[in-house]
Amino acid sequence: MSGVKIAPSLLAADFSRLAEEIARVEEAADWLHLDVMDGHFVPNISFGLSVIENIRGVSDLFFDCHLMTTNPDFFLPELAKAGVDLVTMHIEAVPNPMGPSERARDAGLDFGLVLNPRTPFGGLAPFVELCDVVVVMSVEPGHGGQSFIESVLPKIEEAREWVENRGLTADIQVDGGITPDTAPLAVAAGATVLVAGTSVFRANDSADAIKDLRRAIEKR
Ligand code: DX5
Ligand code: ZN
């Protein structure tokens, strides 16, 4: 077992049948990734608090909430109340994440920071100690179904080295374009959590698709 966690992204699910879609991954997945978009930080709007609160009632998975919003620390107590376990926010939105991370902790949430594909690791590095998770985006945020950007691989390595050299425990999450072809690349570079939307929810059998990802990682 590699110990790598798989987090299906609900963004690629059929929103007219969310409970059934979640049931397809409930046993096979480790976390459920929830992409919250505000139409301002990214050019798309997805879903928010009431949807999260409703799906909390049909899943026992760890809820990993990726905030693609301009003011990601506005709704932290509400997110915790809705059933979120972990919030991740973009360093591009919170260049000084000390306050937001404290407010997340105060709300009882795990905390993580996210890097866009073109954002260097350097600006986030001083804040890794605040993080349970460091997220490297491997697509431009805003939409599912895009191709994995291979040029982020050195940044994944950099984040992993930073964490290991300091004896930290943060997970390294890689988000976007994860398939059985790209998952082994991300894991070889140091990923410990893989977010996969399209390759899981658009598959005929989502549990099988998760198993395919695990097999691809083991084989590497
Ligand atoms: C992109 C989101 C990703 C995305 C992943 O804005 O943050 O989580 O939904 O979906 P796929 O696997 O389709 O790239
Ligand atoms: Zn995401």
Side-chain angles (χ1 to χ4, degrees), residues 9 11-12 33 35 37 66 68 137 139-146 175-178 195-199:
S9 165
L11 192 64
H33 185 82
D35 287 306
M37 304 177 179
H66 175 191
M68 282 160 277
M137 291 302 301
V139 298
E140 292 297 336
H143 297 279
Q146 306 177 74
D175 183 6
I178 293 291
V195 175
T198 304
S199 70

Side-chain angles (χ1 to χ4, degrees), residues 75-133:
F75 293 99
L76 296 172
E78 290 81 359
L79 285 164
K81 198 156 164 269
V84 166
D85 297 290
L86 158 74
V87 283
T88 63
M89 42 183 89
H90 279 253
I91 190 80
E92 301 86 4
V94 286
N96 295 312
M98 203 76 96
S101 80
E102 276 168 19
R103 287 190 279 281
R105 302 265 177 224
D106 287 349
L109 294 159
D110 288 354
F111 178 78
L113 288 168
V114 190
L115 287 162
N116 276 340
R118 278 172 287 190
T119 306
F121 176 67
L124 190 153
F127 306 111
V128 172
E129 287 181 31
L130 304 175
C131 295
D132 297 293
V133 185

